[in-house]
Each structure stands twice: as structure tokens, then as C-alpha cells.
Amino acid sequence: MGRLSRAPGEGGGPVSTRPLISGPRHAVSAGHYLAASAGLAILEAGGNAIDAGVAAGMVLGVVQPDIVNIGGVAPILIRRADGRMESIAGLGHWPKSLPPDLFMREHGGKMPRGVLRTVVPAALDAWITALERHGRLGFAQVAEPAIRFAREGYRVYKLLADSIAEHAKDYASWPSNAAIFLPGGQPPPEGALFRQPDLAAMLQFMADEDRRAAATGGREAGLAAAHDAFYKGDIARVIVDFIQGEGGFLSAEDMAGFRSRLEPVVMREWRGHQVCTSGPWCQGPALLEALLLMERAGFDGLAHNSADYLHLTAECLKVAMADREYHFADPAFTDVPLEALLGEAHLAARLAGIDRQRAHPGMPEPLLGPGTILPPPSQRPLPAIEPDTSYVAVVDAEGNAFSATPSDGTYNGPIIPGLGIIASGRGTQSRPDPAHPCGVGPGKRPRLTPNPAMVVKRDGGVMPFGTPGGDVQVQAMLQVLLNHLHFGMDLQEAIEAPRVATYSFPSSFAPYDYFPARLAVESRIPATVREALRARGHDIKDWPDWTWLAGSVEAVSSDPATGLRLAGADPRRPAYAVAM
């Protein structure tokens, strides 16, 4: 199981089940081993970190089809070797013809399943935008691994088999979904070959358009042709006709006019490191708020995963997630007071409300502006889990870094016949009430949970990192970051250490479950620590020793002292890291 912890506390014990991966040129860590391998192959073929990250991200949409959808979302952070940083939102907006009161007026204030959740599918635009601005290769070459695995298939692994079986009734709701995910009327067993020929054909059509245009106009013309094939051409017509035929609002104008926004990167200095996230259109800045709260609260003398440390971590996360609930939304429509939220006065006021000996019984009250109406506490043990999202990190030989969190599942909406994709159902992360900060609105983007991150280390190294996990993402990322940069664990050790997650705020997903004081704890954390947390007022939910519900953090880091690229991947899911 590995060595004993170098920083043992009450939560000490085995550190890692896998070695830390390293190589002198480049490294990739991704949510599935085939995606990591595809990224490495692109690097070895002459691509850079952006080409490799896009290739791996598209493969994730094939080999993790229950949690990543090629027609979904793909937020991206990029740092070039010269220090330039960029955030590509990779998030679609609500159809511009959507009646803003639709869900309140016709659906009782609830978010229905199906095409009414549809926002513009943004992932392919985000991948192509990244290639256009920072890549070296064409769409066809970068998409080739995804096409291959969709056409030839791959082995059904346990988590995929379990996920499809758990949602078999949902997949059976639409014939097009059942045809892919329930062959012969049954979920595919572990070990079966899983193929997606319609998805392969759609991507092949885009690749053919890329090659045709690039033959006479060059790489840029090829990328534009691939983009137009999806957003303006035959594929777009199929998407729009299907969505409108099912009663949805997505239009040809929504598709043709869509390009992912290039958003400001949010950065804060922490102990000489620059921690970087995307903006408040996703939950990224909550990571920064929680980190700054932890630092100002003072935790240097606390043992790793002790009751004191985990209590403080949970309370700081509650505050950050409360501020997310009260304020985060599409900045194009909402004035998000981000500078105030991350400012010294607000952090001090928030810290004054944290009791180091007692858990807050619910979600902390707002300090900046009005609050929101909380739903009643849920009677379920944990939120209705939306199985979506994966992650990929790359650092290449030149020092370019790529961080992306592609997402969208395939069980809560219909797959478009002949294409093998769902038009993004990410509308589930908007609130049905347009008066909510992240309420639904025509042309407005939902508030996204996927949030890629990056650290520019004080020694000059760069570390892209991220995870799936919905509302657990920020929480897992914070714990891994502190495990690595504060407690001195290597990346693999930091990733494998046991984690906790608070649910003391409304879920980002419909039906927006709320669990006051709920704290889930992996059971590798000793029972004595769990009991001490319960005595402080935390409503403890015991997770297994290892659970995919705790996220699946992947990370790559460059080490200027040795020139190596180091990488870790989370064994809680089928994630792997590779390097050369």
C-alpha cells in the first residue's frame, strides 16, 4: 500500500498505492488511461500541451460517455511558456428565445428533464478555439484518437458499467439513448466492448471538412471548416431540428453565432505561489476564497486530517460555498462582487463568524447584499448525484500548461439520433427562478461546477490540476493543494490522502438539495476523528475508505530544479498519469 505518511496526524497512514509519475519532456494526467495515452501520443507526434490536452479531452468524451459529452461543456485554462494565461469558458448560453418565466410558469419552479435544459453545446467550440489560438496541429489529427475509440470501441470498466446500470431507467427513457447504452435492452457488463459508431461518424465528418479546407487554405482554414460543420452546417441543422422537434428552444442563430468567451483569469498570491482559476461564471473563485480563509485563520500547527484541521477546512469551505450561492453567476448579466469577496475586509468578517469549536448548523448568512431563499433540508443521505465531468492536465517540454474540465452526462436528456451526442443539458445548473443570481435567462450562461485550476509555483514551476465531482470539486482541490504545498506530500500522495466534503449549501444540480451541517468523510480517517467532528456539530456521513464521490483529482507539475514533469492521478476513478 505504500510508505507511512511523512506528515502523519490523526489521519495518517498509507500514502499512495501508485508511484509518482515523471519524465524529462512532458506529462499528461487524465480521467481515463486511454485519454492520457492519447495526449502523450500527440505530444510525441510534435504537438504541444494544447494539442495534447484537446486530444485527451475529446477522448474523455468517448471513453467516459456517462460523465462527459462531446456536445457538452469544456472550460479550459491555458498558460503559455512565456507566462501568458487565458481562460476559455467552454460554456454555452440559454437559447435567446427561451421565455425567462418558463420554468416558474409551466413547471412549478422545477427544472424538467429533457431538451428544455438545453444550452448551446460549447465543448467542440472550446476545443477548436484552443487549437486556433495556441495549438500546432489540425482538428483531424487531434481528433483521431477520439474517432478511433468511438469506432473501434474500448473495454467497459467497472465504474462505467455501474453508472449505466444505475441509470438504466433513465437511458431507457429515450430510444436513441437506449440504442447505445442498453444494447439488447440491458446495460453492458464490465469487460464488454463498447462502441459509438454515430459519434465516430460525426467526428469523422468534421475531420474530413478540416482536411479538405486545410489542403488549400492551411491549418486555420481547416479548423474554421471543422467548426462551421458543427455550428453552421449539416450537423447544426440536425441538432436544431431535433431539439425543436422535441419542444426545445435552441435555434440555428444560437448555434451559428456561438463562440466561447475568453474570460479573465482570477489569480491570488498564496505563500509566494500564484493560484489561478476561471471566473465566477463557474465556481472556481470559491477555491481561492476557501484557501485565503484557511491561511488567515492560521493552520500551521494543525496535524494533517486531525479534527481541528478538518473542522476548520469544512467551515472555511462552507463560507466559500455560501458566497458562491449568494453571488456567483454569469458576469455578463450579473454584477459579481468578486474583488470584495476576496478582499481583506470580507475575509476578516467571514473569519469572525467561524467558531473553531462548533460547526455552523447550516449555510452561513450573506454579508454582502441580499441572501437567497434556502430549500428545505433534504431527507436523502446525500444529494441526487449527477454523474458527470472528468479532467485533463498537460505540461509539455517547452513549459506550456493546459487544464480542462470537460463535462455533461448522457442520461438526463435525449441523444440526437445519428450524431451520438446530447446537446448540452447544463441548464440544470441554472435556477428555475430568474430572480436567483444564477437564475435562468435567455442568452445567459448557467453557473458551472467544472472549474479547471492552475498554480504558478514560487520556484517557477507550473501545476495544472482539477477534478470531477460537482460541488465536491473545489473541496477536493483545496485539500489536495494543501496536502502538496503545505504538508509536503508529493502529488500522488496528496491525491490519495483521505478527504471530506461538506454539503451544507444547496446543490448546484436540480433539484438543488440542501443538507445543513452534513459532512461526508472517507473512512480511512480514523473513527476517533470522525467522532470528534460529530461532537462539534457536524452531521457525519461515513463514506467508504475510497469513493468516487470524493472527486478524482489529476495534476501535473513542472520542477525547474530537475527539469522533470511530475504527474499524479486519482485511483478513486479510472484516471492515469503518463510521462516521457
Side-chain angles (χ1 to χ4, degrees):
M1 283 291 291
R3 296 165 288 139
L4 290 180
S5 173
R6 291 196 303 254
E10 292 177 62
V15 174
S16 59
T17 63
R18 299 177 182 176
L20 178 68
I21 300 299
S22 65
R25 290 186 182 177
H26 33 237
V28 184
S29 185
H32 190 279
Y33 57 88
L34 290 178
S37 299
L40 186 65
I42 291 292
L43 289 165
E44 289 290 288
N48 63 14
I50 291 80
D51 299 307
V54 170
M58 292 182 66
V59 169
L60 290 172
V62 174
V63 301
Q64 294 186 308
D66 56 325
I67 59 176
V68 181
N69 175 23
I70 291 285
V73 300
I76 301 168
L77 273 181
I78 292 169
R79 185 179 188 269
R80 297 302 301 262
D82 62 9
R84 288 178 294 154
M85 289 199 72
E86 183 168 280
S87 172
I88 301 172
L91 168 62
H93 58 72
W94 282 98
K96 293 182 179 179
S97 63
L98 182 84
D101 64 346
L102 174 70
F103 302 111
M104 304 303 291
R105 174 169 44 86
E106 297 188 10
H107 298 279
K110 299 184 182 302
M111 185 68 66
R113 296 168 72 246
V115 299
L116 289 181
R117 295 184 178 196
T118 299
V119 298
V120 178
L124 281 164
D125 170 81
W127 299 135
I128 292 172
T129 298
L131 294 175
E132 287 174 336
R133 295 177 62 80
H134 304 288
R136 292 178 184 155
L137 307 180
F139 180 85
Q141 186 172 357
V142 169
E144 191 279 330
I147 296 170
R148 171 184 170 184
F149 294 129
R151 178 181 293 135
E152 298 179 10
Y154 55 89
R155 182 183 182 275
V156 174
Y157 46 93
K158 184 179 188 314
L159 192 58
L160 176 59
D162 291 347
S163 175
I164 297 174
E166 182 178 352
H167 295 281
K169 290 184 179 178
D170 299 302
Y171 283 117
S173 299
W174 294 281
S176 53
N177 301 50
I180 298 170
F181 289 94
L182 302 175
Q186 297 296 322
E190 182 180 0
L193 183 69
F194 192 82
R195 299 175 61 247
Q196 299 163 84
D198 286 349
L199 178 57
M202 185 197 78
L203 291 173
Q204 186 65 61
F205 178 76
M206 294 177 66
D208 292 344
E209 291 295 288
D210 169 68
R211 288 195 176 96
R212 177 190 56 76
T216 55
R219 191 180 80 95
E220 291 76 12
L223 290 168
H227 189 278
D228 286 352
F230 187 86
Y231 287 93
K232 297 179 181 178
D234 293 344
I235 298 171
R237 284 189 286 275
V238 172
I239 293 172
V240 170
D241 287 349
F242 178 78
I243 296 298
Q244 293 187 355
E246 293 286 311
F249 292 87
L250 188 69
S251 71
E253 291 72 25
D254 290 317
M255 292 287 290
F258 181 76
R259 290 308 301 245
S260 289
R261 292 178 188 157
L262 304 180
E263 297 277 3
V265 177
V266 184
M267 305 182 191
R268 288 297 182 273
E269 193 267 344
W270 181 76
R271 298 186 179 182
H273 309 287
Q274 287 288 331
V275 185
C276 311
T277 73
S278 296
W281 50 270
C282 72
Q283 65 175 330
L287 172 64
L288 298 177
E289 184 174 357
L291 180 64
L292 295 174
L293 286 166
M294 288 285 291
E295 184 67 14
R296 282 149 183 78
F299 63 97
D300 281 349
L302 304 183
H304 179 254
N305 278 0
S306 64
D308 286 341
Y309 175 73
L310 291 176
H311 172 76
L312 180 61
T313 301
E315 295 305 293
C316 289
L317 283 165
K318 281 184 191 177
V319 167
M321 302 303 264
D323 281 335
R324 183 197 72 166
E325 173 69 15
Y326 296 131
H327 301 291
F328 286 18
D330 186 346
F333 287 77
T334 304
D335 184 13
V336 182
L338 191 59
E339 292 304 314
L341 290 170
L342 300 179
E344 292 299 331
H346 181 71
L347 294 172
R350 278 303 195 190
L351 283 173
I354 291 178
D355 187 333
R356 300 291 285 259
Q357 299 302 319
R358 193 69 189 167
H360 192 288
M363 187 171 75
E365 297 75 14
L367 298 183
L368 299 175
T372 57
I373 298 174
L374 290 174
S378 176
Q379 300 306 307
R380 285 191 288 267
L382 284 175
I385 302 299
E386 293 266 356
D388 71 352
T389 311
S390 193
Y391 179 75
V392 55
V394 187
V395 177
D396 66 21
E398 298 171 24
N400 300 303
F402 184 93
S403 181
T405 314
S407 191
D408 282 13
T410 47
Y411 80 90
N412 60 9
I415 286 176
I416 300 167
L419 300 184
I421 63 168
I422 285 178
S424 180
R426 187 51 60 165
T428 184
Q429 296 204 305
S430 284
R431 296 301 172 85
D433 185 354
H436 190 280
C438 63
V440 65
K444 186 178 181 182
R445 294 174 296 177
R447 186 193 72 207
L448 195 61
T449 44
N451 68 111
M454 201 172 295
V455 178
V456 182
K457 294 185 176 181
R458 59 184 174 224
D459 63 5
V462 61
M463 187 181 88
F465 71 112
T467 181
D471 293 317
V472 174
Q473 288 181 31
V474 161
Q475 307 188 56
M477 292 161 71
L478 175 70
Q479 291 169 81
V480 171
L481 188 66
L482 293 177
N483 289 346
H484 180 48
L485 295 182
H486 174 70
F487 289 105
M489 303 179 196
D490 71 34
L491 280 181
Q492 191 62 40
E493 295 168 346
I495 287 168
E496 293 197 24
R499 299 199 279 262
V500 303
T502 174
Y503 292 87
S504 195
F505 49 85
S507 169
S508 293
F509 295 92
Y512 318 109
D513 288 329
Y514 175 44
F515 298 85
R518 182 64 50 83
L519 186 68
V521 184
E522 284 191 307
S523 291
R524 285 179 291 144
I525 293 173
T528 54
V529 174
R530 284 177 272 148
E531 286 305 313
L533 291 169
R534 186 175 283 112
R536 296 189 192 197
H538 295 282
D539 179 12
I540 298 298
K541 166 67 177 176
D542 288 331
W543 270 338
D545 284 359
W546 301 82
T547 177
W548 63 271
L549 297 173
S552 176
V553 178
E554 281 78 64
V556 175
S557 180
S558 59
D559 181 7
T562 62
L564 292 170
R565 277 62 175 130
L566 311 171
D570 204 323
R572 293 170 178 86
R573 300 197 189 193
Y576 268 83
V578 292
M580 286 288 285

